[in-house]
Short mmCIF file of all heavy atoms in Angstrom, two decimals:
data_model
loop_
_atom_site.label_atom_id
_atom_site.label_comp_id
_atom_site.label_asym_id
_atom_site.label_seq_id
_atom_site.Cartn_x
_atom_site.Cartn_y
_atom_site.Cartn_z
N MET A 621 -56.26 -1.94 -110.34
CA MET A 621 -55.31 -3.00 -110.63
C MET A 621 -54.86 -3.59 -109.30
O MET A 621 -54.50 -2.87 -108.40
CB MET A 621 -54.13 -2.39 -111.39
CG MET A 621 -53.07 -3.35 -111.81
SD MET A 621 -53.49 -4.50 -113.12
CE MET A 621 -54.27 -3.49 -114.31
N GLN A 622 -54.85 -4.90 -109.21
CA GLN A 622 -54.43 -5.56 -107.99
C GLN A 622 -52.95 -5.90 -108.05
O GLN A 622 -52.40 -6.11 -109.12
CB GLN A 622 -55.23 -6.83 -107.77
CG GLN A 622 -56.68 -6.56 -107.42
CD GLN A 622 -57.37 -7.84 -107.05
OE1 GLN A 622 -57.41 -8.76 -107.84
NE2 GLN A 622 -57.90 -7.87 -105.86
N SER A 623 -52.34 -5.96 -106.88
CA SER A 623 -50.93 -6.32 -106.82
C SER A 623 -50.77 -7.77 -107.25
O SER A 623 -51.59 -8.62 -106.93
CB SER A 623 -50.40 -6.16 -105.40
OG SER A 623 -50.43 -4.82 -105.04
N SER A 624 -49.71 -8.04 -107.96
CA SER A 624 -49.46 -9.39 -108.40
C SER A 624 -48.51 -10.09 -107.43
O SER A 624 -47.98 -9.49 -106.50
CB SER A 624 -48.83 -9.37 -109.80
OG SER A 624 -47.55 -8.78 -109.72
N ALA A 625 -48.31 -11.37 -107.66
CA ALA A 625 -47.39 -12.14 -106.83
C ALA A 625 -45.98 -11.58 -106.95
O ALA A 625 -45.20 -11.64 -106.00
CB ALA A 625 -47.43 -13.61 -107.23
N ALA A 626 -45.64 -11.04 -108.12
CA ALA A 626 -44.31 -10.46 -108.31
C ALA A 626 -44.08 -9.31 -107.34
O ALA A 626 -42.98 -9.12 -106.83
CB ALA A 626 -44.14 -9.98 -109.75
N CYS A 627 -45.12 -8.55 -107.06
CA CYS A 627 -44.99 -7.44 -106.12
C CYS A 627 -44.78 -7.95 -104.71
O CYS A 627 -44.03 -7.37 -103.93
CB CYS A 627 -46.21 -6.53 -106.18
SG CYS A 627 -46.29 -5.57 -107.70
N ALA A 628 -45.42 -9.05 -104.37
CA ALA A 628 -45.24 -9.62 -103.03
C ALA A 628 -43.81 -10.12 -102.85
O ALA A 628 -43.20 -9.91 -101.80
CB ALA A 628 -46.22 -10.76 -102.82
N VAL A 629 -43.25 -10.72 -103.89
CA VAL A 629 -41.86 -11.19 -103.83
C VAL A 629 -40.91 -10.02 -103.76
O VAL A 629 -39.95 -10.02 -103.01
CB VAL A 629 -41.53 -12.08 -105.06
CG1 VAL A 629 -40.05 -12.40 -105.12
CG2 VAL A 629 -42.36 -13.36 -105.01
N ALA A 630 -41.20 -8.98 -104.53
CA ALA A 630 -40.32 -7.80 -104.56
C ALA A 630 -40.26 -7.12 -103.21
O ALA A 630 -39.24 -6.56 -102.84
CB ALA A 630 -40.80 -6.82 -105.62
N GLY A 631 -41.34 -7.17 -102.47
CA GLY A 631 -41.38 -6.48 -101.19
C GLY A 631 -40.60 -7.18 -100.09
O GLY A 631 -40.48 -6.65 -98.99
N SER A 632 -40.03 -8.34 -100.38
CA SER A 632 -39.35 -9.10 -99.33
C SER A 632 -37.86 -8.77 -99.20
O SER A 632 -37.20 -9.34 -98.36
CB SER A 632 -39.53 -10.60 -99.61
OG SER A 632 -38.88 -10.94 -100.82
N THR A 633 -37.36 -7.86 -100.01
CA THR A 633 -35.94 -7.52 -99.93
C THR A 633 -35.72 -6.37 -98.95
O THR A 633 -36.65 -5.65 -98.63
CB THR A 633 -35.38 -7.13 -101.32
OG1 THR A 633 -36.08 -5.98 -101.75
CG2 THR A 633 -35.53 -8.26 -102.31
N SER A 634 -34.49 -6.20 -98.53
CA SER A 634 -34.21 -5.15 -97.55
C SER A 634 -33.96 -3.79 -98.21
O SER A 634 -34.09 -2.77 -97.56
CB SER A 634 -33.01 -5.54 -96.71
OG SER A 634 -31.88 -5.68 -97.53
N ARG A 635 -33.60 -3.77 -99.49
CA ARG A 635 -33.35 -2.50 -100.19
C ARG A 635 -34.37 -2.32 -101.30
O ARG A 635 -34.79 -3.29 -101.92
CB ARG A 635 -31.96 -2.53 -100.84
CG ARG A 635 -30.85 -2.55 -99.86
CD ARG A 635 -29.50 -2.47 -100.52
NE ARG A 635 -29.52 -2.70 -101.96
CZ ARG A 635 -28.47 -2.91 -102.69
NH1 ARG A 635 -27.28 -2.95 -102.14
NH2 ARG A 635 -28.55 -3.10 -103.97
N PRO A 636 -34.78 -1.08 -101.57
CA PRO A 636 -35.69 -0.85 -102.70
C PRO A 636 -35.04 -1.29 -104.00
O PRO A 636 -33.82 -1.15 -104.17
CB PRO A 636 -35.91 0.66 -102.69
CG PRO A 636 -35.51 1.11 -101.34
CD PRO A 636 -34.47 0.13 -100.86
N ASN A 637 -35.82 -1.83 -104.88
CA ASN A 637 -35.31 -2.24 -106.18
C ASN A 637 -36.30 -1.84 -107.26
O ASN A 637 -37.32 -1.20 -106.98
CB ASN A 637 -35.02 -3.74 -106.20
CG ASN A 637 -36.25 -4.58 -105.94
OD1 ASN A 637 -37.36 -4.21 -106.32
ND2 ASN A 637 -36.08 -5.69 -105.26
N ARG A 638 -36.02 -2.20 -108.49
CA ARG A 638 -36.89 -1.81 -109.59
C ARG A 638 -38.30 -2.39 -109.44
O ARG A 638 -39.27 -1.75 -109.80
CB ARG A 638 -36.29 -2.27 -110.91
CG ARG A 638 -35.07 -1.48 -111.28
CD ARG A 638 -34.54 -1.92 -112.63
NE ARG A 638 -33.28 -1.29 -112.85
CZ ARG A 638 -32.19 -1.91 -113.26
NH1 ARG A 638 -32.23 -3.20 -113.51
NH2 ARG A 638 -31.07 -1.26 -113.43
N TRP A 639 -38.40 -3.60 -108.93
CA TRP A 639 -39.71 -4.21 -108.76
C TRP A 639 -40.53 -3.46 -107.74
O TRP A 639 -41.72 -3.23 -107.92
CB TRP A 639 -39.59 -5.69 -108.38
CG TRP A 639 -39.22 -6.49 -109.58
CD1 TRP A 639 -37.98 -6.96 -109.89
CD2 TRP A 639 -40.06 -6.84 -110.67
NE1 TRP A 639 -38.02 -7.59 -111.10
CE2 TRP A 639 -39.28 -7.54 -111.60
CE3 TRP A 639 -41.41 -6.63 -110.94
CZ2 TRP A 639 -39.81 -8.04 -112.78
CZ3 TRP A 639 -41.93 -7.13 -112.12
CH2 TRP A 639 -41.13 -7.82 -113.02
N GLU A 640 -39.91 -3.07 -106.64
CA GLU A 640 -40.64 -2.30 -105.63
C GLU A 640 -41.09 -0.97 -106.21
O GLU A 640 -42.19 -0.50 -105.91
CB GLU A 640 -39.78 -2.09 -104.40
CG GLU A 640 -39.60 -3.34 -103.59
CD GLU A 640 -38.72 -3.12 -102.36
OE1 GLU A 640 -38.33 -1.97 -102.11
OE2 GLU A 640 -38.43 -4.10 -101.69
N THR A 641 -40.26 -0.37 -107.04
CA THR A 641 -40.63 0.89 -107.67
C THR A 641 -41.83 0.71 -108.59
O THR A 641 -42.77 1.50 -108.56
CB THR A 641 -39.43 1.46 -108.46
OG1 THR A 641 -38.33 1.62 -107.56
CG2 THR A 641 -39.77 2.80 -109.10
N LEU A 642 -41.81 -0.35 -109.40
CA LEU A 642 -42.94 -0.61 -110.28
C LEU A 642 -44.21 -0.90 -109.49
O LEU A 642 -45.29 -0.42 -109.83
CB LEU A 642 -42.64 -1.80 -111.21
CG LEU A 642 -41.74 -1.51 -112.40
CD1 LEU A 642 -41.37 -2.79 -113.11
CD2 LEU A 642 -42.44 -0.55 -113.35
N CYS A 643 -44.08 -1.66 -108.42
CA CYS A 643 -45.25 -1.98 -107.60
C CYS A 643 -45.79 -0.74 -106.90
O CYS A 643 -47.01 -0.56 -106.80
CB CYS A 643 -44.89 -3.06 -106.58
SG CYS A 643 -44.53 -4.65 -107.35
N ALA A 644 -44.90 0.12 -106.45
CA ALA A 644 -45.34 1.37 -105.83
C ALA A 644 -46.05 2.24 -106.86
O ALA A 644 -47.10 2.84 -106.57
CB ALA A 644 -44.16 2.11 -105.23
N LEU A 645 -45.52 2.30 -108.06
CA LEU A 645 -46.14 3.07 -109.13
C LEU A 645 -47.51 2.49 -109.46
O LEU A 645 -48.48 3.22 -109.66
CB LEU A 645 -45.25 3.08 -110.37
CG LEU A 645 -45.76 3.87 -111.57
CD1 LEU A 645 -45.98 5.33 -111.21
CD2 LEU A 645 -44.76 3.75 -112.72
N GLN A 646 -47.60 1.16 -109.48
CA GLN A 646 -48.87 0.51 -109.78
C GLN A 646 -49.93 0.86 -108.73
O GLN A 646 -51.10 1.03 -109.06
CB GLN A 646 -48.69 -1.01 -109.85
CG GLN A 646 -49.93 -1.75 -110.29
CD GLN A 646 -49.74 -3.24 -110.31
OE1 GLN A 646 -49.01 -3.78 -109.49
NE2 GLN A 646 -50.38 -3.91 -111.23
N SER A 647 -49.54 0.99 -107.49
CA SER A 647 -50.52 1.34 -106.47
C SER A 647 -50.82 2.85 -106.46
O SER A 647 -51.89 3.26 -106.00
CB SER A 647 -50.05 0.88 -105.10
OG SER A 647 -48.88 1.55 -104.73
N LEU A 648 -49.92 3.66 -106.98
CA LEU A 648 -50.12 5.10 -107.00
C LEU A 648 -50.96 5.57 -108.19
O LEU A 648 -51.72 6.53 -108.07
CB LEU A 648 -48.76 5.79 -107.03
CG LEU A 648 -48.74 7.31 -107.01
CD1 LEU A 648 -49.38 7.82 -105.72
CD2 LEU A 648 -47.32 7.81 -107.13
N LEU A 649 -50.86 4.89 -109.31
CA LEU A 649 -51.55 5.34 -110.52
C LEU A 649 -53.07 5.45 -110.37
O LEU A 649 -53.65 6.43 -110.85
CB LEU A 649 -51.18 4.45 -111.71
CG LEU A 649 -49.79 4.74 -112.27
CD1 LEU A 649 -49.34 3.65 -113.22
CD2 LEU A 649 -49.77 6.09 -112.97
N PRO A 650 -53.76 4.53 -109.70
CA PRO A 650 -55.21 4.72 -109.53
C PRO A 650 -55.55 6.00 -108.74
O PRO A 650 -56.55 6.66 -109.03
CB PRO A 650 -55.66 3.48 -108.77
CG PRO A 650 -54.64 2.45 -109.10
CD PRO A 650 -53.35 3.20 -109.23
N LEU A 651 -54.72 6.34 -107.78
CA LEU A 651 -54.95 7.57 -107.02
C LEU A 651 -54.75 8.80 -107.91
O LEU A 651 -55.51 9.77 -107.83
CB LEU A 651 -54.01 7.64 -105.82
CG LEU A 651 -54.16 6.51 -104.80
CD1 LEU A 651 -53.07 6.60 -103.74
CD2 LEU A 651 -55.54 6.55 -104.17
N LEU A 652 -53.73 8.76 -108.75
CA LEU A 652 -53.49 9.86 -109.69
C LEU A 652 -54.64 9.98 -110.69
O LEU A 652 -55.07 11.08 -111.03
CB LEU A 652 -52.17 9.66 -110.41
CG LEU A 652 -50.92 9.78 -109.54
CD1 LEU A 652 -49.69 9.32 -110.31
CD2 LEU A 652 -50.76 11.20 -109.04
N LYS A 653 -55.13 8.83 -111.15
CA LYS A 653 -56.25 8.82 -112.09
C LYS A 653 -57.48 9.44 -111.44
O LYS A 653 -58.18 10.24 -112.06
CB LYS A 653 -56.54 7.40 -112.55
CG LYS A 653 -57.67 7.30 -113.52
CD LYS A 653 -57.95 5.86 -113.88
CE LYS A 653 -59.31 5.74 -114.51
NZ LYS A 653 -59.77 4.38 -114.61
N LYS A 654 -57.76 9.09 -110.19
CA LYS A 654 -58.91 9.66 -109.49
C LYS A 654 -58.76 11.17 -109.33
O LYS A 654 -59.71 11.93 -109.54
CB LYS A 654 -59.11 9.01 -108.13
CG LYS A 654 -60.34 9.53 -107.42
CD LYS A 654 -60.48 8.96 -106.05
CE LYS A 654 -61.70 9.48 -105.31
NZ LYS A 654 -62.04 10.86 -105.50
N ALA A 655 -57.57 11.61 -108.97
CA ALA A 655 -57.33 13.04 -108.82
C ALA A 655 -57.54 13.77 -110.15
O ALA A 655 -58.14 14.85 -110.19
CB ALA A 655 -55.93 13.30 -108.29
N ALA A 656 -57.06 13.17 -111.24
CA ALA A 656 -57.25 13.78 -112.56
C ALA A 656 -58.73 13.81 -112.93
O ALA A 656 -59.20 14.78 -113.54
CB ALA A 656 -56.45 13.01 -113.60
N THR A 657 -59.47 12.76 -112.56
CA THR A 657 -60.91 12.74 -112.82
C THR A 657 -61.59 13.85 -112.04
O THR A 657 -62.45 14.56 -112.57
CB THR A 657 -61.50 11.38 -112.42
OG1 THR A 657 -60.85 10.35 -113.18
CG2 THR A 657 -62.99 11.32 -112.68
N ASP A 658 -61.22 14.01 -110.77
CA ASP A 658 -61.80 15.07 -109.95
C ASP A 658 -61.53 16.45 -110.53
O ASP A 658 -62.34 17.36 -110.38
CB ASP A 658 -61.27 14.98 -108.51
CG ASP A 658 -61.74 13.74 -107.78
OD1 ASP A 658 -62.70 13.08 -108.26
OD2 ASP A 658 -61.16 13.42 -106.74
N LEU A 659 -60.37 16.60 -111.16
CA LEU A 659 -60.01 17.87 -111.79
C LEU A 659 -60.58 18.01 -113.21
O LEU A 659 -60.34 19.01 -113.89
CB LEU A 659 -58.49 18.02 -111.85
CG LEU A 659 -57.79 18.14 -110.50
CD1 LEU A 659 -56.27 18.06 -110.69
CD2 LEU A 659 -58.17 19.45 -109.83
N ARG A 660 -61.30 16.97 -113.65
CA ARG A 660 -61.88 16.94 -115.00
C ARG A 660 -60.83 17.09 -116.09
O ARG A 660 -61.00 17.84 -117.05
CB ARG A 660 -62.98 17.98 -115.13
CG ARG A 660 -64.11 17.74 -114.18
CD ARG A 660 -65.19 18.74 -114.29
NE ARG A 660 -66.19 18.44 -113.27
CZ ARG A 660 -67.21 19.20 -113.01
NH1 ARG A 660 -67.40 20.29 -113.70
NH2 ARG A 660 -68.06 18.87 -112.08
N ARG A 661 -59.73 16.38 -115.89
CA ARG A 661 -58.64 16.40 -116.87
C ARG A 661 -58.60 15.06 -117.59
O ARG A 661 -57.87 14.14 -117.24
CB ARG A 661 -57.31 16.64 -116.16
CG ARG A 661 -57.14 18.01 -115.55
CD ARG A 661 -57.04 19.11 -116.60
NE ARG A 661 -56.04 18.86 -117.61
CZ ARG A 661 -54.79 19.31 -117.57
NH1 ARG A 661 -54.41 20.08 -116.58
NH2 ARG A 661 -53.95 19.02 -118.54
N ALA A 662 -59.44 14.94 -118.62
CA ALA A 662 -59.55 13.70 -119.37
C ALA A 662 -58.22 13.29 -120.00
O ALA A 662 -57.92 12.09 -120.10
CB ALA A 662 -60.62 13.82 -120.44
N ASP A 663 -57.42 14.26 -120.40
CA ASP A 663 -56.13 13.93 -121.01
C ASP A 663 -55.22 13.24 -120.00
O ASP A 663 -54.56 12.25 -120.31
CB ASP A 663 -55.46 15.18 -121.58
CG ASP A 663 -55.24 16.28 -120.54
OD1 ASP A 663 -56.03 16.37 -119.57
OD2 ASP A 663 -54.28 17.05 -120.70
N MET A 664 -55.22 13.73 -118.76
CA MET A 664 -54.39 13.11 -117.73
C MET A 664 -54.92 11.73 -117.35
O MET A 664 -54.14 10.80 -117.13
CB MET A 664 -54.31 14.01 -116.50
CG MET A 664 -53.54 15.29 -116.74
SD MET A 664 -53.62 16.45 -115.35
CE MET A 664 -52.79 15.53 -114.07
N VAL A 665 -56.24 11.59 -117.28
CA VAL A 665 -56.85 10.29 -116.97
C VAL A 665 -56.39 9.27 -118.00
O VAL A 665 -55.99 8.15 -117.67
CB VAL A 665 -58.39 10.39 -116.94
CG1 VAL A 665 -59.02 9.00 -116.84
CG2 VAL A 665 -58.85 11.26 -115.79
N TYR A 666 -56.45 9.66 -119.27
CA TYR A 666 -56.02 8.76 -120.35
C TYR A 666 -54.58 8.29 -120.14
O TYR A 666 -54.29 7.10 -120.21
CB TYR A 666 -56.16 9.47 -121.71
CG TYR A 666 -55.55 8.68 -122.84
CD1 TYR A 666 -56.24 7.63 -123.42
CD2 TYR A 666 -54.28 8.99 -123.32
CE1 TYR A 666 -55.67 6.89 -124.45
CE2 TYR A 666 -53.71 8.27 -124.35
CZ TYR A 666 -54.41 7.21 -124.91
OH TYR A 666 -53.84 6.48 -125.92
N TRP A 667 -53.67 9.22 -119.87
CA TRP A 667 -52.27 8.85 -119.74
C TRP A 667 -52.01 8.02 -118.49
O TRP A 667 -51.17 7.11 -118.50
CB TRP A 667 -51.37 10.08 -119.79
CG TRP A 667 -51.32 10.63 -121.18
CD1 TRP A 667 -51.82 11.81 -121.61
CD2 TRP A 667 -50.80 9.97 -122.34
NE1 TRP A 667 -51.64 11.94 -122.97
CE2 TRP A 667 -51.01 10.82 -123.44
CE3 TRP A 667 -50.19 8.74 -122.57
CZ2 TRP A 667 -50.63 10.49 -124.74
CZ3 TRP A 667 -49.80 8.42 -123.86
CH2 TRP A 667 -50.01 9.28 -124.91
N PHE A 668 -52.73 8.28 -117.41
CA PHE A 668 -52.57 7.45 -116.21
C PHE A 668 -53.10 6.04 -116.46
O PHE A 668 -52.52 5.06 -115.99
CB PHE A 668 -53.26 8.09 -115.00
CG PHE A 668 -52.56 9.31 -114.49
CD1 PHE A 668 -53.29 10.41 -114.07
CD2 PHE A 668 -51.17 9.38 -114.41
CE1 PHE A 668 -52.65 11.55 -113.59
CE2 PHE A 668 -50.52 10.51 -113.94
CZ PHE A 668 -51.26 11.60 -113.53
N GLU A 669 -54.18 5.91 -117.23
CA GLU A 669 -54.68 4.58 -117.59
C GLU A 669 -53.66 3.84 -118.45
O GLU A 669 -53.43 2.64 -118.27
CB GLU A 669 -56.01 4.69 -118.33
CG GLU A 669 -57.16 5.07 -117.45
CD GLU A 669 -58.45 5.33 -118.22
OE1 GLU A 669 -58.40 5.47 -119.46
OE2 GLU A 669 -59.50 5.41 -117.57
N GLN A 670 -53.06 4.55 -119.40
CA GLN A 670 -52.05 3.92 -120.26
C GLN A 670 -50.84 3.47 -119.44
O GLN A 670 -50.34 2.37 -119.62
CB GLN A 670 -51.59 4.90 -121.36
CG GLN A 670 -52.68 5.28 -122.33
CD GLN A 670 -53.21 4.07 -123.07
OE1 GLN A 670 -52.47 3.27 -123.62
NE2 GLN A 670 -54.52 3.92 -123.06
N ALA A 671 -50.39 4.32 -118.55
CA ALA A 671 -49.24 3.98 -117.70
C ALA A 671 -49.57 2.79 -116.81
O ALA A 671 -48.74 1.89 -116.62
CB ALA A 671 -48.84 5.18 -116.86
N ASP A 672 -50.79 2.74 -116.26
CA ASP A 672 -51.19 1.64 -115.41
C ASP A 672 -51.17 0.32 -116.19
O ASP A 672 -50.68 -0.70 -115.70
CB ASP A 672 -52.59 1.91 -114.85
CG ASP A 672 -52.97 0.95 -113.73
OD1 ASP A 672 -52.07 0.49 -113.00
OD2 ASP A 672 -54.17 0.67 -113.58
N ALA A 673 -51.67 0.35 -117.41
CA ALA A 673 -51.66 -0.85 -118.25
C ALA A 673 -50.23 -1.29 -118.57
O ALA A 673 -49.92 -2.49 -118.54
CB ALA A 673 -52.44 -0.60 -119.54
N GLU A 674 -49.35 -0.35 -118.87
CA GLU A 674 -47.96 -0.69 -119.18
C GLU A 674 -47.24 -1.29 -117.98
O GLU A 674 -46.52 -2.28 -118.10
CB GLU A 674 -47.20 0.55 -119.68
CG GLU A 674 -47.59 0.98 -121.06
CD GLU A 674 -47.25 -0.06 -122.11
OE1 GLU A 674 -46.19 -0.71 -122.01
OE2 GLU A 674 -48.06 -0.21 -123.04
N VAL A 675 -47.45 -0.70 -116.81
CA VAL A 675 -46.81 -1.23 -115.60
C VAL A 675 -47.32 -2.64 -115.33
O VAL A 675 -46.54 -3.53 -115.00
CB VAL A 675 -47.05 -0.29 -114.39
CG1 VAL A 675 -46.66 -0.95 -113.09
CG2 VAL A 675 -46.29 1.01 -114.57
N ALA A 676 -48.62 -2.85 -115.47
CA ALA A 676 -49.19 -4.19 -115.25
C ALA A 676 -48.60 -5.19 -116.24
O ALA A 676 -48.27 -6.33 -115.85
CB ALA A 676 -50.71 -4.14 -115.39
N ASN A 677 -48.43 -4.79 -117.49
CA ASN A 677 -47.82 -5.69 -118.49
C ASN A 677 -46.38 -6.02 -118.14
O ASN A 677 -45.95 -7.17 -118.28
CB ASN A 677 -47.88 -5.06 -119.88
CG ASN A 677 -49.27 -5.08 -120.45
OD1 ASN A 677 -50.11 -5.88 -120.06
ND2 ASN A 677 -49.53 -4.18 -121.38
N ILE A 678 -45.64 -5.04 -117.68
CA ILE A 678 -44.24 -5.29 -117.30
C ILE A 678 -44.18 -6.26 -116.13
O ILE A 678 -43.40 -7.21 -116.13
CB ILE A 678 -43.53 -3.97 -116.94
CG1 ILE A 678 -43.35 -3.12 -118.20
CG2 ILE A 678 -42.18 -4.24 -116.27
CD1 ILE A 678 -42.93 -1.69 -117.91
N ILE A 679 -45.02 -6.04 -115.13
CA ILE A 679 -45.00 -6.91 -113.95
C ILE A 679 -45.43 -8.32 -114.32
O ILE A 679 -44.83 -9.30 -113.86
CB ILE A 679 -45.89 -6.32 -112.84
CG1 ILE A 679 -45.24 -5.05 -112.29
CG2 ILE A 679 -46.13 -7.33 -111.72
CD1 ILE A 679 -46.09 -4.28 -111.32
N ARG A 680 -46.45 -8.46 -115.16
CA ARG A 680 -46.92 -9.80 -115.56
C ARG A 680 -45.91 -10.53 -116.44
O ARG A 680 -45.76 -11.74 -116.34
CB ARG A 680 -48.23 -9.68 -116.32
CG ARG A 680 -49.45 -9.80 -115.47
CD ARG A 680 -50.67 -10.08 -116.32
NE ARG A 680 -50.82 -9.10 -117.38
CZ ARG A 680 -51.56 -8.00 -117.30
NH1 ARG A 680 -52.20 -7.72 -116.21
NH2 ARG A 680 -51.64 -7.18 -118.32
N ALA A 681 -45.24 -9.80 -117.32
CA ALA A 681 -44.40 -10.43 -118.34
C ALA A 681 -43.04 -10.87 -117.83
O ALA A 681 -42.45 -11.80 -118.37
CB ALA A 681 -44.20 -9.48 -119.51
N THR A 682 -42.50 -10.24 -116.83
CA THR A 682 -41.14 -10.53 -116.40
C THR A 682 -41.11 -10.91 -114.93
O THR A 682 -41.46 -10.11 -114.08
CB THR A 682 -40.25 -9.28 -116.58
OG1 THR A 682 -40.45 -8.76 -117.89
CG2 THR A 682 -38.80 -9.61 -116.39
N PRO A 683 -40.70 -12.15 -114.64
CA PRO A 683 -40.61 -12.52 -113.23
C PRO A 683 -39.49 -11.76 -112.54
O PRO A 683 -38.46 -11.47 -113.16
CB PRO A 683 -40.31 -14.02 -113.27
CG PRO A 683 -39.72 -14.26 -114.60
CD PRO A 683 -40.29 -13.21 -115.52
N PRO A 684 -39.67 -11.41 -111.27
CA PRO A 684 -38.61 -10.68 -110.58
C PRO A 684 -37.39 -11.56 -110.38
O PRO A 684 -37.51 -12.77 -110.17
CB PRO A 684 -39.24 -10.31 -109.24
CG PRO A 684 -40.33 -11.29 -109.07
CD PRO A 684 -40.81 -11.67 -110.44
N MET A 685 -36.23 -10.96 -110.48
CA MET A 685 -34.99 -11.70 -110.25
C MET A 685 -34.80 -11.87 -108.75
O MET A 685 -35.09 -10.97 -107.97
CB MET A 685 -33.80 -10.94 -110.83
CG MET A 685 -33.85 -10.82 -112.33
SD MET A 685 -32.47 -9.86 -112.98
CE MET A 685 -31.09 -10.73 -112.34
N GLN A 686 -34.34 -13.02 -108.37
CA GLN A 686 -34.04 -13.26 -106.97
C GLN A 686 -32.76 -12.51 -106.61
O GLN A 686 -31.82 -12.47 -107.40
CB GLN A 686 -33.85 -14.76 -106.72
CG GLN A 686 -35.10 -15.56 -106.97
CD GLN A 686 -36.23 -15.17 -106.04
OE1 GLN A 686 -36.00 -14.79 -104.90
NE2 GLN A 686 -37.44 -15.22 -106.54
N PRO A 687 -32.72 -11.91 -105.44
CA PRO A 687 -31.50 -11.20 -105.06
C PRO A 687 -30.31 -12.17 -104.99
O PRO A 687 -30.46 -13.29 -104.52
CB PRO A 687 -31.80 -10.65 -103.68
CG PRO A 687 -33.22 -10.93 -103.40
CD PRO A 687 -33.74 -11.86 -104.44
N GLN A 688 -29.20 -11.72 -105.52
CA GLN A 688 -28.00 -12.56 -105.49
C GLN A 688 -27.24 -12.29 -104.21
O GLN A 688 -27.12 -11.16 -103.77
CB GLN A 688 -27.12 -12.26 -106.70
CG GLN A 688 -27.81 -12.60 -108.01
CD GLN A 688 -26.92 -12.23 -109.18
OE1 GLN A 688 -25.85 -11.66 -109.02
NE2 GLN A 688 -27.37 -12.57 -110.37
N SER A 689 -26.73 -13.35 -103.65
CA SER A 689 -25.93 -13.15 -102.43
C SER A 689 -24.56 -12.62 -102.83
O SER A 689 -24.00 -12.98 -103.85
CB SER A 689 -25.79 -14.45 -101.67
OG SER A 689 -25.16 -15.42 -102.49
N ARG A 690 -24.05 -11.73 -102.02
CA ARG A 690 -22.75 -11.14 -102.29
C ARG A 690 -21.71 -11.84 -101.45
O ARG A 690 -21.94 -12.13 -100.29
CB ARG A 690 -22.78 -9.66 -101.97
CG ARG A 690 -23.74 -8.95 -102.90
CD ARG A 690 -23.66 -7.49 -102.71
NE ARG A 690 -24.59 -6.87 -103.66
CZ ARG A 690 -24.90 -5.62 -103.67
NH1 ARG A 690 -24.37 -4.81 -102.77
NH2 ARG A 690 -25.72 -5.13 -104.55
N PRO A 691 -20.53 -12.08 -102.04
CA PRO A 691 -19.49 -12.77 -101.28
C PRO A 691 -18.91 -11.93 -100.16
O PRO A 691 -19.00 -10.79 -100.06
CB PRO A 691 -18.41 -13.07 -102.31
CG PRO A 691 -18.75 -12.29 -103.53
CD PRO A 691 -20.15 -11.79 -103.38
#
């Protein structure tokens, strides 16, 4: 799964936020899937694929909120 534009926008803030967490998870899931494949754990591979698809859907469906300036 490739990073989306939403992930690029999320990475521009100074504090971690939900978008950065989702983007980090999106980049981590393929590594977890590979590790599960290496361990021959088909059940884990399945769940990592499902999680990857869900994270991608969340990132695609909802644009990131712009940080609000604080007074």
Side-chain angles (χ1 to χ4, degrees):
M621 182 70 46
Q622 290 187 302
S623 295
S624 66
C627 289
V629 171
S632 64
T633 62
S634 61
R635 293 184 347 193
N637 60 34
R638 289 183 188 132
W639 284 101
E640 288 179 5
T641 302
L642 282 172
C643 293
L645 181 59
Q646 186 182 33
S647 64
L648 182 62
L649 283 167
L651 299 173
L652 292 170
K653 180 183 163 193
K654 183 184 179 323
T657 301
D658 293 345
L659 294 171
R660 298 180 183 174
R661 292 292 308 266
D663 57 332
M664 292 173 64
V665 171
Y666 172 80
W667 288 113
F668 289 140
E669 287 173 347
Q670 296 299 310
D672 192 31
E674 287 296 322
V675 168
N677 286 338
I678 291 168
I679 291 172
R680 268 197 306 267
T682 311
M685 295 177 56
Q686 296 297 327
Q688 296 178 356
S689 60
R690 295 187 179 172

